[in-house]
Amino acid sequence: MGDSIIRTQVDNTVFTWNKDKGIFSFDGAQSVLFWDSAIELFISTIIEVSGNDVSNTVLEATGFRMGELVSSYYKDRIDTRDVIEQYMDIYRNAGWGKIKVTHFCLDEKKVILKLKNSWEHRIYQSMKKEQAVVLLPSHWAGVLTALFKENMWYKVNKSQLNGDEFDEIEIYPSSITPNDNIHQLARQKEQAYINQLEQKVEDRTQELSDLVKHLSTPIMPVMKGILAVSLVGKFNDERFEGLLQKTLFAFSKQRATYLLLDMTAISDFDEYIIFRLQGLVKAVALLGGECILVGISPILGVQIINSGVDLRTIPTFSTLEQGIEHAIDKLGYEIVKKS
């Protein structure tokens, strides 16, 4: 062995540096050494860009797959029954913190680990983030998934974050997988986006509905004492109720005497329109006013007659101009053309 290659062994773990090639090997596998601060920057960037929920899922999936990879690398060199003790030395020697196995049952396929001063906890502590470890527990789940040939997952029973002396990680058989978590997260994000779109559509629909109500029942002050309302299209209970409230409010506020109901744009004069118009006429009368129907076309006139409704008590005119002239005359005004 030349001076360009340096090898050292700690317990059963072999570290090799090939200075000519610039390669560091960890138990024969090419590896990379990083400062905690470099990993901290890496993780903090993921959290900053992705947010907590996404970053946790990403770190869990990464840790799990790393565990499967590591386990597959050692599967031919380490007896399954001794794997936990072997890994405890390997990770400790690699600076991953102090690891102790407190429970290992091959029949149950259940393992409980005690982690203290793990690099993940050190980094979160340095970042001053109140965040439980996720990458290393999922990493161990990946390791044992490959060794036990059964999907494993984890739960954190104790956490240094909560003031415990160590992190206690329980690994057990489970149907939960990182892929499921990723897909679930994607569905949650998709559903949240759909909900946002639905809310925007609902808000926009409400805005347009309010605009339609405003435009479809314009209230026009003609002159002092006279208001005109144009009825457009078809009416239902909601729309007519809005018309009633809006009209009576404006009529009272303007202290008007006459309300001209322009029927020019009414598409169909049915029993519903008749019933609601009678209610509007009575409501205006209670405010001390009088309604005048204008825009009565020959076809609409025939419909009114065939409906059997007696509108003789309500002044009716074929044009808005005639209705305005009638109201002006009733108010005692006179329109005089300048000489």
Side-chain angles (χ1 to χ4, degrees):
M1 181 184 300
D3 292 338
S4 63
I5 297 178
I6 302 174
R7 176 178 296 172
T8 187
Q9 183 169 336
V10 179
D11 296 327
N12 294 321
T13 306
V14 178
F15 299 91
T16 304
W17 288 265
N18 189 321
K19 294 193 293 182
D20 288 341
K21 294 182 178 180
I23 294 175
F24 164 71
S25 297
F26 175 76
D27 262 4
Q30 293 183 5
S31 307
V32 179
L33 296 178
F34 282 106
W35 296 297
D36 277 7
S37 57
I39 302 298
E40 177 183 333
L41 180 61
F42 175 75
I43 291 178
S44 64
T45 302
I46 291 177
I47 296 174
E48 180 183 354
V49 173
S50 306
N52 286 334
D53 291 342
V54 175
S55 62
N56 279 350
T57 302
V58 169
L59 293 173
E60 282 183 336
T62 302
F64 185 89
R65 292 170 182 174
M66 285 171 55
E68 288 183 306
L69 176 64
V70 169
S71 187
S72 66
Y73 177 74
Y74 284 103
K75 66 180 180 180
D76 296 328
R77 299 171 55 188
I78 301 177
D79 187 277
T80 303
R81 294 180 181 275
D82 298 329
V83 67
I84 300 299
E85 295 297 332
Q86 293 283 344
Y87 277 157
M88 181 179 68
D89 291 338
I90 291 170
Y91 288 140
R92 180 196 61 207
N93 296 338
W96 285 40
K98 186 176 180 180
I99 305 168
K100 183 178 180 180
V101 179
T102 60
H103 178 82
F104 175 62
C105 180
L106 192 59
D107 293 334
E108 289 182 297
K109 294 184 178 179
K110 179 179 176 182
V111 178
I112 298 178
L113 304 172
K114 181 190 295 185
L115 281 67
K116 190 170 183 179
N117 298 324
S118 71
W119 63 260
E120 188 175 12
H121 175 71
R122 295 197 308 264
I123 285 172
Y124 286 146
Q125 193 174 40
S126 175
M127 293 167 59
K128 297 182 179 179
K129 277 192 169 294
E130 296 183 355
Q131 183 167 335
V133 294
V134 294
L135 192 147
L136 291 182
S138 60
H139 175 81
W140 278 101
V143 167
L144 295 173
T145 291
L147 290 174
F148 290 154
K149 295 181 174 54
E150 181 173 342
N151 190 74
M152 310 288 285
W153 199 236
Y154 76 91
K155 64 178 178 180
V156 179
N157 296 330
K158 295 182 179 180
S159 174
Q160 289 180 271
L161 175 67
N162 297 329
D164 295 316
E165 187 180 352
F166 51 83
D167 294 326
E168 184 178 88
I169 312 301
E170 182 177 336
I171 313 295
Y172 57 92
S174 173
S175 60
I176 299 174
T177 69
N179 286 339
D180 291 338
N181 291 343
I182 291 172
H183 294 156
Q184 182 180 2
L185 179 64
R187 287 192 294 270
Q188 289 175 349
K189 294 294 182 182
E190 180 179 329
Q191 187 59 50
Y193 180 65
I194 291 173
N195 291 341
Q196 289 178 356
L197 289 179
E198 288 178 345
Q199 186 60 49
K200 287 181 180 179
V201 170
E202 183 178 342
D203 293 342
R204 186 57 176 163
T205 301
Q206 185 60 48
E207 290 176 5
L208 292 175
S209 178
D210 293 341
L211 180 61
V212 168
K213 289 178 182 179
H214 177 74
L215 295 177
S216 62
T217 54
I219 299 177
M220 300 167 288
V222 177
M223 60 176 294
K224 185 177 181 181
I226 304 174
L227 292 180
V229 177
S230 180
L231 307 182
V232 181
K234 287 184 172 291
F235 283 83
N236 55 22
D237 284 334
E238 181 182 359
R239 190 175 171 212
F240 219 112
E241 190 63 31
L243 166 67
L244 181 64
Q245 293 181 10
K246 183 178 178 181
T247 301
L248 294 180
F249 176 78
F251 193 84
S252 177
K253 183 178 180 180
Q254 298 289 336
R255 298 183 180 180
T257 303
Y258 290 97
L259 177 66
L260 282 71
L261 299 174
D262 187 358
M263 312 285 288
T264 305
I266 286 290
S267 56
D268 189 22
F269 192 85
D270 54 20
E271 293 182 0
Y272 178 81
I273 291 292
I274 295 169
F275 173 74
R276 296 311 300 255
L277 278 179
Q278 287 176 330
L280 178 57
V281 170
K282 291 178 181 178
V284 170
L286 290 175
L287 295 177
E290 182 180 346
C291 286
I292 301 172
L293 298 183
V294 300
I296 307 296
S297 66
I299 295 177
L300 188 56
V302 172
Q303 290 180 341
I304 293 174
I305 293 173
N306 292 336
S307 69
V309 178
D310 186 3
L311 299 179
R312 287 178 296 178
T313 58
I314 306 175
T316 60
F317 299 92
S318 60
T319 66
L320 178 60
E321 181 183 3
Q322 292 172 337
I324 293 174
E325 289 176 350
H326 173 78
I328 289 175
D329 182 64
K330 285 291 186 178
L331 288 172
Y333 297 112
E334 183 180 358
I335 300 177
V336 180
K337 184 177 181 182
K338 290 183 178 180
S339 56

